[in-house]
Amino acid sequence: SADSNDRKLPSDHRNLNLDTSEFKNLNPTAENIAKVIYDILKPKLNSQLKVQVTLYETPRNYVIYPD
């Protein structure tokens, strides 16, 4: 069963350029997507935790934010 706190990010199954406020004026590069995910999740987590977002485009092409 799904936890009541489970939810999809606002960009799930959307055209990032057209359908999300985060990317109305921001190019959705892998780096920017990772930063937006980080900025959404970080305030919801314990401030003592070190958090990084790793976003893979391919097995050899990825970004880590913050690095």
Side-chain angles (χ1 to χ4, degrees), residues 2-67:
D3 184 302
S4 63
N5 291 324
D6 286 348
R7 57 174 262 217
K8 294 179 180 178
L9 293 173
S11 57
D12 189 46
H13 292 91
R14 304 225 179 173
N15 181 319
L16 296 178
N17 294 90
L18 301 176
D19 300 333
T20 63
S21 60
E22 295 86 359
F23 295 102
K24 289 287 184 197
N25 298 304
L26 183 64
N27 189 10
T29 63
E31 294 82 3
N32 287 338
I33 293 169
K35 182 182 183 315
V36 167
I37 292 169
Y38 177 89
D39 290 345
I40 290 170
L41 294 178
K42 181 64 174 162
K44 299 176 185 303
L45 302 172
N46 182 319
S47 63
Q48 300 299 314
L49 295 175
K50 179 181 177 188
V51 177
Q52 288 184 314
V53 173
T54 303
L55 178 69
Y56 283 85
E57 293 180 303
T58 69
R60 293 179 53 185
N61 187 23
Y62 63 92
V63 62
I64 300 172
Y65 184 88
D67 55 5

